[in-house]
Amino acid sequence: MTVLSPPDGADADTLFAEFAAWAQTAGTTLYPHQEEALIELVSGANVVLATPTGSGKSLVATGAQYAALAQDRVSFYTAPIKALVSEKFFALCGVFGAENVGMLTGDAAVNADAPIIACTAEILANIALREGAEADIGLVVMDEFHFYGDPDRGWAWQVPILELPNAQFLLMSATLGDTTALREDLTRRTGRPTALVAGAERPVPLHFSYATTPAHETIQELLDTRQAPVYVVHFTQAAALERAQALMSVNVCTKEEKAKIADLIGGFRFSSAFGTTLSRLVRHGIGVHHAGMLPKYRRLVEQLAQAGLLKVICGTDTLGVGINVPIRTVVFSALSKYDGTRMRLLSAREFHQIAGRAGRAGYDTAGYVVVQAPDHEVENLKQFAKVADDPKKRRKLVRKKVPEGMVPWSEATAQRLETAEPEALTSHFQVTTGMLLNVLARPGDPVAALAKLLTDNHEPRKRQLKLIRDAIGIGRTLIAAEVVERVVLDGRPTYRLTGDLPAGFALNQQLSTFALAVIDLLDPESETFVVDVVSVIESTLDDPRQILGAQLNKARGIAVAEMKAEGIEYDERMELLEEVTYPKPLAELLEAAHETFVRGNPWAAAVEPSPKSVVRDMWENAYTFRELVNAYGLTRSEGAVLRYLTDAYRALRSGVPAEARTEEVTDVVEWLGEVVRQVDSSLLDEWEELTNPSDAVDVPAVPARPRPLTGNVRAFTAMVRNAVWQRVQFWARRRWYDLGELDAGSGWDADRWGEVVQAYFAEHAEVLTGADARGPALFVVDRSSRPGFWEVRQIIDDPDGDHDWGIDVEVDLEASDDQGAPVLRVVDAGRKDS
């Protein structure tokens, strides 16, 4: 496809004709609904494009961006998730040239001054809040606009409409429902007519069916009748993985296809516990896709599917968001799901959003949607078939009942969802600390801007009054925290940011200002100051349910073992177990501080700190990501663990005030950032490669390996120190068997370590493990003696202060880069007289 370059000064008719001709050269003739939408767009109107999945909405968006580029207007394309943003970024670079396309995701910015920007909806919303009508944004394309109705994130799809009156809008989704009120509001705000383009026929028709055979037979039949690729939709991550593993007995790929899979995977790093399982599955032609996976694993599955190498993908409804993966058949394993509160049937929007992934325009003449009957119905039909010809046995047949807690579905349910229209979108506007900070950073009168935002949104008046009260409460907190100050400008009182915030500082959590107050209570001279700062920040983050549940289970397991050893009876053990919880450092301090904080900030009463220890646990126990996952059995939730660590990293990086950013705190932040990057590096390296493209390839590349671990010397040093410190902790607990497991490859098995540890305790009563023991004075690194290696000595902190025992290791830098974690070899351990 040739790069699309619009002519200068062209009128609307010329732009439309030129774009249609370009599409034709690429083998695409515009559908009537595409022509209608493009004519409206090049004429300056807003467009709500409510056409089916696969009907070419992306091409309409490209045409709108083409027209904006010709008219020297900056255009923003938004998507709900970073994976979609990156996918669109690549596509736009191919169409308009890398020099004309940029990307913003919050983690990274690439070519941010480009005339065409791909970004998440939240990024655009924050720009709109900071700059308002003065923002240099001429066109806004919002894909998957049905996210407007999302209770948690819908505000980000609404804010641009409220704050960018000079922009032209293209709102796109296959499942919008009635948009009358939305279109009227958009016209009122922008002064542009707003056209609805809907009712288009799906280019690839869908055929719906209801399967009453067992699920594995249903899938086998689809494979036998060449209806693959098949996406089997589950509503729990565990069920998706179990189904994929059960399909390993089916030979879904030929030897040639398996060889192609192996070639494409190449040197991809399966760096975590789940990676071993996924590697085995994808090499067999079976994919797994759900939010609990690391993003790099999801992307690998997507790229293998795009290359046509996966016949079956078992996953959750994550692909319903719109990732471009070729699927011929969608199989619903159920029509009910747990939504975090209750079990319920799927909504019409959810059903159509997932079903719409079936059928590939340009590849398939039809798409297939199969609804799998519930297991109890399948079993009843199977039993009935056995006695169908015997009236006596039919009368005695005992039918299986609906399992307790299950919301059942039937063929009638499937037929109703198939024909139902999507529900109307509902506004979910909200006010946050970050929103206020963005508006207060706006030039002009931020108070007037905020008042308009809170009173002229899509919420009913009663809800707007609550938003105003929330904003006043948050504002008082920001003033008390000296983040915002009252000033008089041009004779009128107003508010503005103090300007004293450090570079990169942000208050992104509801309790961020509370965290500032608590950090100020901590003693910088305390040996636990560093981990206490971490704990304060962690208490403001959303609870990672999977991690905390695993920590609770482990804590209770340890407690049960201890109580059994003490001879405590069962009933008493069960009663005492109710008091056991996961680690909650600083719980008493945080509770008392919050009570005091709420007296001056009543709004904060609705949000309480939640003490927890995940990052702190990793740091104190010197865990790697993989060790953390293994320690708590979180193999199926690696993605959730990474998301939490990423959130913690951002909060630590941006939410710790300058006076608390000691060298040790900075070490923790750098270490955590590198842990996140090495587990699943951002796509920044690939994006930078695309702006300076090398030889093109026909097959999508698998995710790039992360940058060299040793390139971040500070973070790598912290990782090495943690790895050596883990050995010190085992030494202190006389656990030489654990030391032997770590270092048998270096020739230091349990017996050899046991001799050293026992010899030490013959001289000293204990190994000190306080802050001084872990400090830089007892950790000596020689980075210059041998090229490619570091030589490290960890001195043991004995109670007599002799410091004549230690561990000597060498660190292999190349091997560390290859594995994404420090590779150490113990050279010596024991007493040093010199």
Side-chain angles (χ1 to χ4, degrees):
M1 183 180 291
T2 57
V3 172
L4 185 55
S5 181
D8 295 330
D11 60 18
D13 291 340
T14 301
L15 288 173
F16 174 80
E18 291 285 339
F19 182 78
W22 172 83
Q24 187 69 53
T25 62
T28 302
T29 301
L30 297 178
Y31 295 120
H33 69 270
Q34 291 175 313
E35 291 184 340
E36 179 187 354
L38 284 167
I39 289 170
E40 295 284 359
L41 287 162
V42 298
S43 301
N46 302 313
V47 170
V48 175
L49 188 57
T51 56
T53 301
S55 60
K57 290 189 287 293
S58 293
L59 188 60
V60 174
T62 302
Q65 291 166 308
Y66 169 78
L69 188 62
Q71 296 159 359
D72 198 26
R73 292 185 295 146
V74 175
S75 63
F76 274 67
Y77 173 99
T78 76
I81 58 176
K82 293 174 189 175
L84 272 175
V85 172
S86 64
E87 183 179 286
K88 193 63 181 180
F89 172 77
F90 281 110
L92 290 172
C93 285
V95 172
F96 294 104
E99 70 280 1
N100 286 321
V101 184
M103 182 182 57
L104 304 171
T105 66
D107 293 332
V110 177
N111 200 17
D113 296 325
I116 298 172
I117 297 293
C119 65
T120 56
E122 283 82 358
I123 292 292
L124 176 62
N126 286 331
I127 293 173
L129 290 168
R130 278 196 306 273
E131 301 181 21
E134 301 304 313
D136 183 17
I137 300 175
L139 169 70
V140 172
V141 180
M142 302 194 83
D143 201 358
E144 307 289 344
F145 189 73
H146 56 274
F147 269 83
Y148 171 97
D150 185 272
D152 296 319
R153 302 179 61 201
W155 67 272
W157 276 259
Q158 185 174 159
V159 162
I161 294 173
L162 305 180
E163 293 295 312
L164 300 175
N166 299 323
Q168 179 187 20
F169 285 85
L170 169 59
L171 311 179
M172 307 189 301
S173 173
T175 56
L176 286 180
D178 184 5
T179 61
T180 303
L182 177 67
R183 286 181 280 121
E184 291 174 352
D185 182 74
L186 199 53
T187 293
R188 173 178 72 85
R189 294 176 188 278
T190 65
R192 301 172 184 266
T194 302
L196 171 65
V197 178
E201 287 190 17
R202 200 177 193 277
V204 180
L206 293 181
H207 298 296
F208 292 83
S209 62
Y210 188 75
T212 56
T213 52
H216 68 278
E217 292 182 15
T218 303
I219 296 168
Q220 183 67 65
E221 183 179 352
L222 292 170
L223 292 171
D224 293 342
T225 54
R226 300 183 180 277
Q227 294 185 57
V230 179
Y231 190 80
V232 188
V233 182
H234 304 77
F235 295 99
T236 69
Q237 297 168 5
L241 180 58
E242 287 168 7
R243 178 77 63 199
Q245 291 175 318
L247 289 171
M248 285 293 289
S249 59
V250 179
N251 193 20
V252 301
C253 282
T254 64
K255 288 183 179 180
E256 292 75 15
E257 288 168 332
K258 290 178 180 178
K260 288 180 180 178
I261 292 171
D263 287 342
L264 185 56
I265 290 174
F268 177 82
R269 183 191 290 168
F270 292 95
S271 56
S272 66
F274 176 75
T276 303
T277 299
L278 181 65
S279 176
R280 183 169 53 88
L281 288 168
V282 296
R283 292 175 195 278
H284 198 73
I286 300 169
V288 180
H289 195 284
H290 60 69
M293 296 165 58
L294 295 179
K296 69 177 181 182
Y297 292 155
R298 292 203 303 272
R299 189 158 180 260
L300 173 66
V301 169
E302 291 159 12
Q303 292 182 325
L304 288 170
Q306 286 163 355
L309 296 174
L310 297 182
K311 298 296 178 65
V312 181
I313 303 174
C314 299
T316 58
D317 53 349
T318 51
L319 278 190
V321 176
I323 298 294
N324 183 24
V325 171
I327 298 166
R328 182 169 295 167
T329 304
V330 167
V331 176
F332 283 85
S333 66
L335 290 181
S336 63
K337 64 182 285 187
Y338 180 72
D339 63 6
T341 304
R342 61 187 176 91
M343 286 294 297
R344 62 169 175 80
L345 291 174
L346 299 182
S347 68
R349 172 171 289 109
E350 289 168 331
F351 180 81
H352 287 293
Q353 197 66 35
I354 299 168
R357 308 316 303 168
R360 301 166 294 174
Y363 293 90
D364 299 322
T365 56
Y368 302 91
V369 179
V370 180
V371 175
Q372 181 66 36
D375 290 342
H376 70 275
E377 181 183 340
V378 172
E379 184 61 28
N380 286 336
L381 289 171
K382 183 178 177 181
Q383 295 300 326
F384 182 82
K386 290 180 180 179
V387 298
D389 297 330
D390 189 332
K392 290 184 178 180
K393 289 184 178 179
R394 286 205 308 268
R395 285 194 296 271
K396 293 180 179 180
L397 187 66
V398 178
R399 293 181 175 272
K400 282 203 166 190
K401 296 181 180 180
V402 177
E404 186 177 351
M406 175 186 175
V407 176
W409 67 93
S410 64
E411 188 169 9
T413 312
Q415 291 172 346
R416 178 183 62 78
L417 288 172
E418 178 187 339
T419 57
E421 289 294 320
E423 299 81 5
L425 293 173
T426 303
S427 170
H428 290 283
F429 193 75
Q430 56 184 279
V431 61
T432 65
T433 302
M435 183 178 287
L436 260 67
L437 291 174
N438 277 319
V439 175
L440 289 170
R442 185 187 301 187
D445 187 350
V447 175
L450 184 60
K452 185 175 185 301
L453 178 67
L454 296 175
T455 58
D456 189 21
N457 50 56
H458 297 168
E459 295 290 326
R461 182 58 181 166
K462 185 176 180 180
R463 171 74 177 153
Q464 288 177 348
L465 292 174
K466 181 181 184 305
L467 293 173
I468 292 170
R469 290 194 296 271
D470 290 345
I472 291 172
I474 296 172
R476 287 172 176 166
T477 306
L478 293 172
I479 293 170
E482 300 182 350
V483 173
V484 171
E485 61 184 356
R486 189 173 187 271
V487 296
V488 177
L489 294 177
D490 299 326
R492 292 189 305 170
T494 187
Y495 296 86
R496 68 182 181 190
L497 300 181
T498 60
D500 294 328
L501 301 181
F505 183 81
L507 297 173
N508 298 320
Q509 308 299 324
Q510 288 181 292
L511 287 173
S512 292
T513 48
F514 167 73
L516 292 180
V518 178
I519 288 174
D520 195 46
L521 299 176
L522 301 179
D523 178 9
E525 301 302 319
S526 168
E527 66 175 28
T528 63
F529 177 74
V530 175
V531 287
D532 287 346
V533 169
V534 170
S535 291
V536 171
I537 296 297
E538 285 200 82
S539 75
T540 69
L541 302 177
D542 291 339
D543 286 346
R545 291 182 297 104
Q546 298 95 327
I547 305 174
L548 300 186
Q551 287 183 329
L552 176 60
N553 289 338
K554 186 171 183 177
R556 286 181 170 173
I558 293 171
V560 166
E562 291 175 349
M563 285 187 280
K564 283 183 176 179
E566 294 172 12
I568 298 175
E569 295 298 324
Y570 175 82
D571 290 341
E572 186 179 355
R573 290 204 306 267
M574 293 302 99
E575 187 176 329
L576 291 172
L577 272 183
E578 293 301 316
E579 301 174 9
V580 176
T581 184
Y582 53 82
K584 294 183 177 181
L586 304 185
E588 292 184 5
L589 171 65
L590 289 164
E591 182 180 353
H594 189 251
E595 289 179 2
T596 303
F597 187 76
V598 167
R599 294 190 195 113
N601 306 278
W603 67 269
V607 187
E608 295 184 356
S610 177
K612 49 190 165 289
S613 178
V614 180
V615 176
R616 180 170 181 156
D617 190 17
M618 283 188 76
W619 181 257
E620 289 184 327
N621 288 296
Y623 285 147
T624 63
F625 179 86
R626 186 164 189 154
E627 287 169 341
L628 177 71
V629 167
N630 290 342
Y632 294 109
L634 294 165
T635 302
R636 289 180 176 174
S637 303
E638 289 175 343
V641 176
L642 184 69
R643 281 194 296 276
Y644 178 81
L645 296 181
T646 302
D647 290 344
Y649 169 62
R650 291 175 183 154
L652 284 164
R653 183 182 61 182
S654 62
V656 177
E659 58 272 18
R661 293 185 187 181
T662 63
E663 288 294 311
E664 292 79 8
V665 170
T666 303
D667 282 345
V668 172
V669 176
E670 286 291 316
W671 159 79
L672 183 57
E674 199 60 33
V675 166
V676 168
R677 179 179 283 269
Q678 290 297 320
V679 169
D680 195 343
S681 66
S682 84
L683 297 173
L684 185 56
D685 296 337
E686 285 186 42
W687 297 327
E688 290 175 346
E689 168 65 20
L690 189 60
T691 60
N692 298 285
S694 53
D695 296 335
V697 292
D698 295 329
V699 181
V702 297
R705 294 172 72 82
R707 69 186 183 190
L709 175 64
T710 58
N712 186 337
V713 175
R714 184 168 199 157
F716 183 62
T717 301
M719 289 181 177
V720 171
R721 188 166 60 213
N722 280 355
V724 178
W725 183 249
Q726 188 177 48
R727 289 160 171 81
V728 174
Q729 289 179 309
F730 286 150
W731 186 327
R733 298 167 190 165
R734 309 186 191 214
R735 289 165 55 179
W736 52 80
Y737 291 102
D738 291 316
L739 287 165
E741 284 189 14
L742 283 177
D743 299 316
S746 303
W748 283 78
D749 59 14
D751 290 338
R752 189 173 181 185
W753 265 116
E755 292 175 6
V756 172
V757 173
Q758 292 177 81
Y760 172 87
F761 282 107
E763 291 188 19
H764 301 289
E766 61 177 330
V767 172
L768 302 181
T769 56
D772 290 340
R774 193 170 182 168
L778 301 183
F779 180 75
V780 183
V781 182
D782 182 352
R783 300 184 177 91
S784 59
S785 293
R786 298 174 59 200
F789 292 87
W790 286 1
E791 294 181 357
V792 175
R793 178 165 178 76
Q794 174 68 57
I795 300 169
I796 300 297
D797 194 12
D798 60 87
D800 300 320
D802 295 334
H803 295 162
D804 53 356
W805 288 74
I807 306 171
D808 293 310
V809 303
E810 66 174 19
V811 185
D812 187 327
L813 304 187
E814 183 178 349
S816 298
D817 285 335
D818 184 59
Q819 293 192 22
V823 175
L824 280 61
R825 186 178 74 85
V826 175
V827 176
D828 194 15
R831 198 174 195 284
K832 296 289 184 180
D833 294 321
S834 57

